[in-house]
């Protein structure tokens, strides 16, 4: 019988090979993907996120954990086709137009994915049209926008205004983040929430989809 | 009291006649082109600027008459960050492109970008740094010494009675590693290819030591040692919340290499002070940097975690000169009102000025979204309330 605590350890310590090996064993033994994800993978990602938030883990640790988590998820995802219950919600995420910085955004994307969200990562330099198109196409619950620069963060308001103009603002929650972004700025531009770190972003996303 | 005397007092933890002001003395205490043009026009000062030292971040060095009018107490001496910028850049439509001497491709689209963005990393296609270094190597600084000598010969006359800053030729040890390898890959290489990480850091360290040797050789040949007070290095080691990689990894891989650089600079020029820029929440490693030979810390990003100015001045003010931290550049300077800018400068001067050990500069370069009114609110307040 596979000890799934080894999967938890593998993800927490960023060990891809171990994560893949344990996942394969668990699948071979007929353990439900949902049980593996909820019982171990999400918990490991929550723990690494918490350590990151508390300054006990750093960017390399988070990237390695995400890598191990994705290795496991790649095995499980094909086995879950059609099971709607697996997704906590759909998130479209991107760095806004004019801004090419993506590490922070990718960490948020990985944390959301690792914690059970379906994530559509649009990349960097994303226009309002692209955000809206992707949100419509994937019937997203949340749009996450990131900006590193004081000079590009204002574009977030343009995206929100464009969502209003397109008549879809009410269908989707908007979360924002990035170094110069603040809670006050989020309120000022009419976003639904702001998080200063990847762990907080997961908590916020859970709250927003529950509303 | 001239500018050099003023800064010498400050960096020796004494009060001068006023708090010294640094504009354009380094590539992290400068001003971006658009903000510069707006601010100078407003008060009828010359909008001319020198050859761009760091075109990647689009900062400009005002011409001498403007620096004099702005009462900047510093002058920069050092290689241009992009060598032969005017010759190597090309334009297609609205997009400027250049491949720098590190084989990194940068692009700036005039219609939307305020900075050059990096598009390629010379080691990104390899499985590991170790593998990549078999095919690519850090550029030899000796290939660029002649160009540097021509450039600094143009800069040197401005040293005059100002605090001369011998400034770095490239980004920091981890920053250069990230640019060469690609960001996410390098961070993961710390676990997956630690030997490669160390080798690349070592190669960049050697490149930097070669640069400093060539710069000090020229300074000695010209007999300009007394005109240089500060040697400026950098890295970006922190986020808003913590260090980017763990303090232990920094202590093991990065700080000892800075120690070697700082020992070398002090050996060649014993009277200088070692300056380092690193953004972010880096309080846990400040004692290590001091131990390694750091004298002057910039930019003092006081909005980052555990970086409040009172605490830093209290705990490190005896050992470190704070150069920067004069006003927040992520919020107040670009988004505040002139009154808010003025209030923040006053508040910070009250904390940082007593006893010296403080040179005024904003937390980072004045960015393009800073209005002329806010630039002048900062400057006027400094000149009025910065007097001892």
């Amino acid at each position: 019988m596979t000890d799934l605590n080894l999967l938890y350890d593998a993800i927490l310590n960023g060990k891809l090979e171990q994560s893949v090996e344990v996942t394969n064993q668990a699948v071979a033994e007929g353990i439900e993907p949902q049980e593996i994800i909820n019982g171990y993978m999400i918990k490991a990602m929550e723990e690494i996120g918490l350590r990151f938030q508390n300054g006990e883990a750093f960017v390399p640790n988070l990237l390695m954990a995400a890598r191990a988590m994705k290795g496991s998820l790649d095995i499980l995802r094909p086995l879950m086709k059609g099971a709607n219950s697996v997704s906590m919600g759909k998130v479209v995420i991107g760095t806004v137009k004019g801004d090419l910085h993506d590490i922070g955004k990718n960490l948020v994307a990985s944390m959301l994915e690792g914690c059970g969200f379906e994530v559509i990562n649009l990349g960097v330099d994303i226009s309002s049209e692209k955000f809206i198109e992707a949100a419509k196409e994937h019937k997203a619950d949340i749009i996450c926008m990131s900006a590193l620069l004081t000079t590009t963060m204002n574009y977030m308001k343009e995206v929100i205004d464009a969502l209003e103009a397109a008549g879809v603002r009410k269908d989707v929650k908007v979360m924002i983040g990035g170094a110069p972004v603040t809670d006050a700025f989020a309120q000022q531009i009419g976003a639904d929430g702001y998080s200063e770190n990847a762990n907080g972003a997961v908590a916020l996303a859970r709250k927003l989809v529950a509303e | 009291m001239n500018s050099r005397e003023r800064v010498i007092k400050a960096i020796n933890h004494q009060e001068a006649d006023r708090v010294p002001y640094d504009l354009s003395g380094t590539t992290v205490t400068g001003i971006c082109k658009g903000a510069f043009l707006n601010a100078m026009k407003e008060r009828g000062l010359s909008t001319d600027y020198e050859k761009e030292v760091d075109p990647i971040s689009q900062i400009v060095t005002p011409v001498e008459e403007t620096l004099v009018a702005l009462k900047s107490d510093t002058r920069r001496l050092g290689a241009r960050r992009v060598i032969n910028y005017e010759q190597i850049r090309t334009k297609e439509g609205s997009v400027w492109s250049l491949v720098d001497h590190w084989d990194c491709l940068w692009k700036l689209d005039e219609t939307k970008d305020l900075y050059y963005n990096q598009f390629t990393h010379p080691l990104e296609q390899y499985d590991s740094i170790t593998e990549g270094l078999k095919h690519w190597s850090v550029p030899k600084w000796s290939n660029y010494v002649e160009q540097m000598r021509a450039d600094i010969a143009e800069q040197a006359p401005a040293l005059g009675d100002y605090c001369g800053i011998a400034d770095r030729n490239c980004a920091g040890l981890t920053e250069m590693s990230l640019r060469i390898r690609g960001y996410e890959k390098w961070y993961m290489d710390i676990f997956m290819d630690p030997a490669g990480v160390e080798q690349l850091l070592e190669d960049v360290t050697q490149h930097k030591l070669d640069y400093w040797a060539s710069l000090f050789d020229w300074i000695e040949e010209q007999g300009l040692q007394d005109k240089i007070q500060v040697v400026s290095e950098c890295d970006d080691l922190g986020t808003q919340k913590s260090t980017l990689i763990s303090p232990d990894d920094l202590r093991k891989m990065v700080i000892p290499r800075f120690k070697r650089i700082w020992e070398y600079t002090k050996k060649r020029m014993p009277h200088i002070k070692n300056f380092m820029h690193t953004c972010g929440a880096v309080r846990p490693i400040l004692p290590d940097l001091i131990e390694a030979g750091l004298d002057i810390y910039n930019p003092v990003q006081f909005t980052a975690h555990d970086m409040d100015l009172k605490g830093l001045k209290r705990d490190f003010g005896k050992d470190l000169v704070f150069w920067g931290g004069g006003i927040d550049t992520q919020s107040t300077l670009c988004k505040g009102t002139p009154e808010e800018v003025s209030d923040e400068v006053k508040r910070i001067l009250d904390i940082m000025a007593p006893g010296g050990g403080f040179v005024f500069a904003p937390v980072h370069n004045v960015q393009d979204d800073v209005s002329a009114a806010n630039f002048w609110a900062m400057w006027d307040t400094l000149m009025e309330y910065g007097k001892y």
Side-chain angles (χ1 to χ4, degrees):
Chain A
M1 186 74 188
T2 304
D3 180 3
L4 280 168
N5 288 316
L6 293 175
L7 176 61
Y8 175 90
D9 291 343
I11 293 174
L12 187 58
N13 296 310
K15 299 201 181 306
L16 173 66
E17 293 78 12
Q18 185 181 328
S19 166
V20 167
E21 191 186 325
V22 179
T23 305
N24 277 329
Q25 284 170 7
V27 168
E29 287 170 17
I31 302 173
E32 284 297 316
Q34 201 61 54
E35 188 187 334
I36 300 171
I37 292 172
N38 292 342
Y40 301 90
M41 291 172 59
I42 290 179
K43 288 200 166 75
M45 289 305 284
E46 284 174 345
E47 176 61 21
I48 194 72
L50 193 64
R51 289 185 190 182
F52 182 68
Q53 188 176 333
N54 293 339
E56 296 156 7
F58 300 86
V59 171
N61 308 95
L62 218 50
L63 288 168
M64 292 298 286
R67 175 173 170 269
M69 177 274 296
K70 281 178 187 154
S72 193
L73 208 55
D74 284 346
I75 298 166
L76 299 175
R77 205 180 269 134
L79 308 175
M80 303 188 301
K81 286 268 186 274
N84 289 330
S85 61
V86 298
S87 175
M88 294 275 304
K90 279 192 183 174
V91 178
V92 163
I93 187 167
T95 303
V96 297
K97 192 171 157 183
D99 201 323
L100 304 185
H101 298 86
D102 65 354
I103 283 200
K105 181 264 296 170
N106 287 346
L107 289 175
V108 170
S110 293
M111 280 299 296
L112 287 168
E113 197 173 18
C115 291
F117 287 86
E118 198 171 331
V119 176
I120 298 100
N121 191 339
L122 301 178
V124 297
D125 196 19
I126 302 302
S127 64
S128 56
E129 295 82 12
K130 280 192 196 157
F131 273 115
I132 291 170
E133 195 182 309
K136 280 185 181 168
E137 183 191 336
H138 298 282
K139 297 191 171 56
D141 300 294
I142 299 173
I143 290 176
C144 287
M145 290 187 278
S146 170
L148 185 82
L149 307 172
T150 60
T151 45
T152 54
M153 61 192 270
N154 296 318
Y155 189 75
M156 293 173 168
K157 179 160 183 355
E158 288 186 39
V159 177
I160 291 174
D161 290 347
L163 286 167
E164 291 279 6
V168 293
R169 177 69 184 91
K170 62 185 182 314
D171 303 328
V172 66
K173 302 286 185 183
V174 176
M175 285 168 51
I176 63 172
V181 178
T182 61
D183 215 6
F185 179 73
Q187 288 178 23
Q188 187 192 322
I189 65 167
D192 297 302
Y194 152 78
S195 170
E196 64 172 13
N197 61 58
N199 209 37
V202 174
L204 177 62
R206 284 177 175 158
K207 180 171 153 267
L208 290 177
V209 289
E211 276 176 3
Chain B
M1 178 172 279
N2 66 35
S3 288
R4 178 169 297 120
E5 293 161 345
R6 181 175 298 122
V7 177
I8 286 175
K9 281 240 176 210
I11 62 181
N12 284 288
H13 301 268
Q14 294 164 4
E15 294 183 358
D17 55 342
R18 67 166 167 83
V19 171
Y21 173 48
D22 173 20
L23 178 70
S24 301
T26 75
T27 50
V28 285
T29 53
I31 184 166
C32 292
K33 199 185 292 173
F36 167 72
L37 297 178
N38 288 338
M40 297 310 110
K41 273 183 209 149
E42 178 152 309
R43 293 212 176 164
L45 294 172
S46 169
T47 52
D48 294 337
Y49 50 86
E50 305 288 348
K51 270 189 203 165
E52 286 153 300
V53 166
D54 183 9
I56 296 300
S57 56
Q58 289 288 290
I59 55 169
V60 294
T61 305
V63 291
E64 181 63 16
E65 62 167 281
T66 307
L67 285 177
V68 171
L70 290 169
K71 300 186 181 178
S72 174
D73 291 304
T74 57
R75 296 294 184 271
R76 178 184 187 274
L77 187 80
R80 297 175 75 196
R81 298 287 294 282
V82 177
I83 293 166
N84 290 327
Y85 171 59
E86 293 77 8
Q87 285 80 44
I88 64 170
R89 66 176 177 165
T90 57
K91 194 175 191 190
E92 203 175 310
S94 60
V95 181
W96 287 99
S97 299
L98 66 89
V99 176
D100 67 16
H101 58 291
W102 299 83
D103 297 325
C104 300
L105 168 66
W106 301 82
K107 292 183 187 181
L108 178 147
D109 184 340
E110 282 182 343
T111 62
K112 63 188 178 75
D113 294 334
L114 295 172
Y115 319 91
Y116 274 89
N117 287 300
Q118 190 180 353
F119 278 76
T120 64
H121 312 270
L123 294 188
E124 69 189 327
Q125 75 268 38
Y126 298 103
D127 288 343
S128 66
I129 295 177
T130 302
E131 180 60 26
L133 287 176
K134 292 176 188 164
H135 306 276
W136 180 92
S137 51
V138 166
K140 288 208 178 318
W141 178 249
S142 55
N143 295 336
Y144 305 100
V145 171
E146 283 314 306
Q147 187 57 54
M148 175 202 75
R149 290 168 73 97
D151 288 334
I152 57 180
E154 287 179 19
Q155 299 161 1
L159 291 172
D161 290 330
Y162 297 93
C163 165
I165 301 175
D167 197 25
R168 62 206 164 90
N169 71 319
C170 65
L173 298 175
T174 69
E175 279 174 301
M176 285 315 308
S177 299
L178 291 159
R179 288 184 188 181
I180 290 165
R181 174 60 168 154
Y183 285 74
E184 294 187 14
K185 284 185 176 169
W186 187 80
Y187 286 124
M188 294 202 279
D189 288 330
I190 289 174
F191 288 98
M192 296 163 70
D193 182 20
V197 168
E198 292 264 11
Q199 188 58 53
L200 184 55
L201 285 167
E202 185 57 29
D203 293 351
V204 178
T205 304
Q206 194 53 53
H207 177 97
K208 282 179 173 287
L209 287 167
D210 291 345
Y211 167 71
W212 289 119
S214 73
L215 182 61
F216 296 153
D217 286 349
W218 187 88
I219 290 168
E220 280 172 17
E221 282 167 33
Q222 305 295 315
L224 294 175
Q225 295 96 318
D226 292 346
K227 292 195 182 274
I228 302 296
Q229 278 64 52
V230 172
V231 171
S232 164
E233 260 298 345
C234 74
D235 214 335
D236 267 336
L237 306 176
T239 72
Q240 319 260 126
K241 295 289 289 179
S242 68
T243 52
L244 276 153
I245 67 176
S246 74
D248 283 346
D249 282 336
L250 290 171
R251 287 172 191 129
K252 181 167 150 267
M253 301 190 303
V254 180
I255 296 173
R257 293 189 163 90
F258 275 111
K259 184 177 181 190
R260 276 165 51 204
I261 292 170
W262 292 332
E263 283 171 352
Y264 179 75
T265 58
K266 280 272 166 86
K267 192 177 116 203
R268 291 290 303 265
M269 306 243 281
H271 68 287
I272 60 90
K273 301 280 187 191
N274 280 314
F275 168 115
M276 183 191 190
H277 165 96
T278 167
C279 283
V282 294
R283 191 184 231 269
I285 56 163
L286 286 179
D288 304 277
L289 292 170
I290 292 166
E291 178 75 26
L294 183 65
D295 302 303
I296 302 173
Y297 172 61
N298 166 273
V300 207
Q301 190 184 351
F302 57 84
T303 52
H305 176 66
D306 213 11
M307 293 289 287
D308 81 286
L309 292 170
K310 276 184 189 161
L312 289 177
K313 180 96 173 167
R314 179 192 65 224
D315 296 342
F316 300 105
K318 278 202 181 73
D319 296 314
L320 283 181
V321 170
F322 296 103
W323 190 301
I327 184 160
D328 163 52
T329 44
Q330 280 186 319
S331 177
T332 315
L333 191 56
C334 55
K335 302 200 186 304
T337 63
E339 292 72 31
E340 286 165 343
V341 168
S342 179
D343 288 348
E344 186 164 303
V345 171
K346 282 185 211 170
R347 179 179 70 79
I348 289 170
L349 283 169
D350 283 345
I351 298 168
M352 302 303 277
F358 179 54
V359 174
F360 186 94
V363 168
H364 214 297
N365 294 324
V366 176
Q367 305 293 310
D368 258 342
D369 52 355
V370 173
S371 67
N374 279 8
F375 176 84
W376 290 113
M378 173 191 80
W379 191 87
D380 288 340
T381 309
L382 170 66
M383 290 303 154
E384 190 181 345
Y385 288 86
K387 291 177 190 145
Y388 282 107

